[in-house]
Amino acid sequence: MWIGVLCGLAAGALWGLVFIAPALLAAFSPLELAVGRYTAYGAMALVLLLPRLKSLLASLLPADYAALLRHALAGNIVYYMLLAAGVKYAGVAPTSLIIGMLPVVVTLMGRNDHGALPLRRLALPLLLVAAGIACINVDSFLHAGPSTSAGDILLGMLCAAGALLCWSWYALDNARYLKRNPQFSSTQWSALYGLATGVIALALGCVAWVFGIGADAGPARDWQLFWACNALVALGASVIGNGLWNVASRRVPVTLSGQLILFETLFALLYGFLYRGHGPRALELAAIVLLVAGVTWSVHAHAAQDDSARQALDPDLVDRDGVSGAAHRHQP
């Protein structure tokens, strides 16, 4: 399980980078950024798959194609479009408040999966997580710009709620599909997922270009920087990050994977502080402490259940003093 936790942490560190790219590419629209990132992701996935692409595609069943299609849409393209629309119409603070509930929603949706802890044992860690998310968003509200019309805010919140449901459903469906289909390695599934996303993004980009949708005709648009940033984000966050997340999805219960998503938030905060050139404000620091405490508590709760299950399967793990061998192995 601990390998899964470490992979989830590393994936969060890489995913956090995607919050810096829009600041560097402010002259480009969210649609252009999405198409650029996922087209680059698809191209890299194609290169990775090319030596075995023919045989791999021949082994796919219709159910596999359907899973790749729905994961590419829900986990990447539709999610990002809804998130961008939420920011556009409601602003960053309300959208981040809704999207920040991802760990809680994933945990609640996966409460009946194998290996999931009873919710009563996760209540206090989830309360810490919720308090941390509240601190982040209260700070966002305190530093928000002027609000838009009530209609725009309502539309933006509906879009953000749609994004929340999209990624929550994707996280659960992807984890369950990987556990039911061990014939796919995490790297293979990530590459296939990237290829499917790239094909859809390329088609979307062509349609947008033909009809002139989503293009910001601003001055001084640096296309070299655009492709360089998107290539780096595609390699780090999509190719490597998604591969690490697939490893984590296989090795930890979905209730814990929901908590591991918070690493993306923590690393995004860290990168944001470095980009702004100053440290966290008081509420941001409180949020970091609460989020780390909640995730750590949840990890130890799952580790305790993992040890108990191992002892039940193999009584020899318990020594004469009543201390499990598994517990000894977990000591530093």
Side-chain angles (χ1 to χ4, degrees), residues 1-328:
M1 188 194 77
W2 290 104
I3 293 177
V5 172
L6 290 175
C7 287
L9 185 151
L14 291 168
W15 284 346
L17 294 171
V18 304
F19 292 88
I20 301 300
L24 295 174
L25 302 172
F28 296 89
S29 70
L31 175 60
E32 289 172 321
L33 294 176
V35 170
R37 172 188 172 183
Y38 293 128
T39 300
Y41 179 24
M44 292 177 185
L46 177 61
V47 171
L48 292 173
L49 283 173
L50 202 55
R52 58 188 186 280
L53 181 60
K54 185 176 180 180
S55 60
L56 190 57
L57 291 178
S59 69
L60 294 179
L61 300 174
D64 300 324
Y65 284 107
L68 288 169
L69 176 62
R70 65 178 183 260
H71 291 170
L73 289 171
N76 278 339
I77 297 174
V78 175
Y79 163 75
Y80 187 83
M81 292 298 175
L82 289 172
L83 184 150
V87 171
K88 178 179 179 180
Y89 292 111
V92 173
T95 303
S96 62
L97 175 62
I98 296 172
I99 301 299
M101 296 303 293
L102 267 170
V104 177
V105 174
V106 171
T107 297
L108 293 176
M109 290 176 66
R111 64 187 182 277
N112 295 322
D113 281 46
H114 175 71
L117 283 174
L119 284 181
R120 65 180 181 276
R121 295 184 59 185
L122 291 173
L124 292 178
L126 287 176
L127 282 176
L128 291 179
V129 168
I133 292 171
C135 286
I136 288 177
N137 288 281
V138 167
D139 182 83
S140 297
F141 278 112
L142 291 176
H143 295 87
S147 61
T148 56
S149 68
D152 283 348
I153 292 177
L154 177 60
L155 177 60
M157 287 187 171
L158 289 175
C159 289
L164 171 65
L165 293 176
C166 271
W167 212 94
S168 299
W169 176 86
Y170 156 73
L172 290 169
D173 195 65
N174 183 60
R176 291 165 178 168
Y177 200 83
L178 283 171
K179 289 174 181 176
R180 291 196 309 266
N181 294 273
Q183 71 273 21
F184 297 111
S185 70
S186 298
T187 302
Q188 285 177 332
W189 190 251
S190 178
L192 287 169
Y193 171 57
L195 184 60
T197 303
V199 170
I200 297 173
L202 185 60
L204 180 63
C206 291
V207 172
W209 179 74
V210 169
F211 293 98
I213 302 171
D216 287 345
R221 283 154 58 90
D222 189 342
W223 287 98
Q224 185 175 358
L225 179 63
F226 173 85
W227 286 112
C229 286
N230 279 300
L232 288 174
V233 170
L235 176 62
S238 296
V239 176
I240 301 175
N242 287 350
L244 289 168
W245 181 254
N246 284 337
V247 174
S249 296
R250 270 206 172 105
R251 290 178 175 266
V252 302
V254 292
T255 47
L256 179 55
S257 67
Q259 309 307 303
L260 295 180
I261 296 170
L262 284 171
F263 284 126
E264 178 185 10
T265 302
L266 294 175
F267 279 101
L269 284 170
L270 173 62
Y271 301 149
F273 299 148
L274 293 174
Y275 183 79
R276 290 186 333 209
H278 61 78
R281 296 183 284 263
L283 282 174
E284 290 173 328
L285 184 60
I288 293 172
V289 172
L290 289 167
L291 290 172
V292 170
V295 171
T296 303
W297 193 342
S298 181
V299 168
H300 281 290
H302 282 86
Q305 175 176 270
D306 188 50
D307 285 347
S308 298
R310 196 176 303 162
Q311 292 171 28
L313 291 174
D314 188 358
D316 292 336
L317 286 174
V318 181
D319 62 22
R320 294 178 181 178
D321 295 324
V323 180
S324 72
H328 285 301

